[in-house]
Amino acid sequence: MSISENIKKYRAELPENVKLVAISKTKPNEDILEAYEAGQRIFGENKIQEMTDKWEALPKDIEWHMVGHVQRNKVKYMAPFVGLIHAVDSLKLLKEINKQAKKHERVIKCLLQIKIAEEDSKFGISAEEAEEILASEAYQKMKNTQVIGLMGMATFTEDEKQVSGEFQYLKKVFDKLKENYPSLGELSMGMSGDYNLAVANGSNMVRIGSNIFGERNYN
Ligand SMILES: *Cc1c(COP(=O)(O)O)cnc(C)c1O
């Protein structure tokens, strides 16, 4: 199927409350434009330089999401335009985002990344650390950044029970934190291989790349 057919398929298939983030990392601008012309407006990237180049070249009503791990010294490059940062994993990073957002008189929305997978290679913090950040005076004082939800990546495995269990755990953490922090509304979980399980377990934001744009070639 073509990129535009894939976009239409997901829009038809996903429940209405589930946002589709089209992950366009490594893909050329033509591919993004094809998805754009099919109506897609939210795109996700995992490298700040690549996202900035695409932002400069492509229509300005695209909402750009940073889904990758963020180095503090690079926040400044995306601060003028980024729509949502999915993988915030420290108060230090949040402070830098707040500082750079202020320079542009913006409020940058963020998600805290919770580690739910078994693999050591995956980033993220614990539920307790997330709660500490939200409860901290430093965060409460920030005017230019807002944590609007949580993000997680499940273990890369065929074992659907394990993946479901990890998503269920994250949904529980989300519901619990929401009691005290009602501004938490977004739960970003699910990728090409596991979005069905993620949606079944409460995701309202899926990050789908290869199922839309085809396999990535990193060479
Ligand atoms: C690349 C990436 C995705 C999309 O992965 P696919 O398997 O191609 O759908 C989702 N989330 C993050 C954080 C990614 O880096």
Side-chain angles (χ1 to χ4, degrees):
M1 285 213 290
S2 69
I3 292 168
S4 63
E5 284 168 333
N6 288 333
I7 292 289
K8 286 173 189 149
K9 170 185 114 99
Y10 277 107
R11 287 159 69 93
E13 174 186 328
L14 291 169
E16 232 175 285
N17 70 312
V18 177
K19 283 190 188 140
L20 171 62
V21 184
I23 305 296
S24 48
K25 62 193 186 196
T26 78
K27 297 296 177 182
N29 291 347
E30 302 88 79
D31 288 7
I32 297 174
L33 276 175
E34 184 178 340
Y36 178 89
E37 272 148 26
Q40 182 64 24
R41 289 295 178 274
I42 307 177
F43 292 88
E45 293 282 332
N46 71 339
K47 295 212 164 63
I48 292 173
Q49 179 66 55
E50 183 176 344
M51 183 172 74
T52 304
D53 291 345
K54 287 173 173 173
W55 167 66
E56 282 172 354
L58 289 162
K60 288 296 173 284
D61 61 340
I62 289 178
E63 183 178 313
W64 291 102
H65 288 197
M66 172 45 56
V67 300
H69 186 65
V70 175
Q71 285 172 281
R72 265 181 292 145
N73 61 350
K74 290 190 179 157
V75 171
K76 56 179 178 281
Y77 301 114
M78 64 175 165
F81 69 92
V82 67
L84 182 64
I85 302 176
H86 284 237
V88 174
D89 60 359
S90 72
L91 186 58
K92 261 182 155 172
L93 175 58
L94 215 45
K95 282 180 182 166
E96 177 64 14
I97 294 167
N98 188 61
K99 180 176 149 191
Q100 297 300 333
K102 191 168 181 203
K103 289 185 185 164
H104 299 278
E105 297 176 9
R106 302 186 66 221
V107 177
I108 295 183
K109 293 176 184 162
C110 299
L111 307 177
L112 297 177
Q113 181 176 6
I114 307 294
K115 186 175 184 330
I116 56 172
E118 269 179 357
E119 296 120 309
D120 288 336
S121 58
K122 297 220 165 123
F123 291 101
I125 56 180
S126 68
E128 293 73 29
E129 288 168 310
E131 169 126 51
E132 274 171 36
I133 290 175
L134 293 166
S136 68
E137 206 186 326
Y139 169 66
Q140 304 261 339
K141 278 195 193 150
M142 289 179 195
K143 292 201 166 63
N144 297 83
T145 185
Q146 192 188 15
V147 176
I148 62 159
L150 304 179
M151 179 271 218
M153 291 173 88
T155 302
F156 189 70
T157 170
E158 300 280 298
D159 183 348
E160 297 198 344
K161 251 173 98 178
Q162 179 174 353
V163 172
S164 287
E166 291 172 359
F167 287 145
Q168 277 157 26
Y169 169 73
L170 184 55
K171 176 68 161 68
K172 235 169 63 188
V173 170
F174 176 73
D175 287 341
K176 186 85 197 350
L177 283 175
K178 217 170 135 81
E179 289 173 12
N180 288 328
Y181 305 95
S183 64
L184 301 183
E186 307 292 340
L187 184 55
S188 166
M189 56 184 199
M191 317 185 1
S192 291
D194 58 17
Y195 73 93
N196 275 322
L197 297 174
V199 169
N201 288 294
S203 168
N204 62 12
M205 188 177 273
V206 292
R207 310 178 308 270
I208 298 181
S210 43
N211 277 10
I212 293 172
F213 296 105
E215 291 302 317
R216 287 177 293 273
N217 181 353
Y218 286 99
N219 301 320

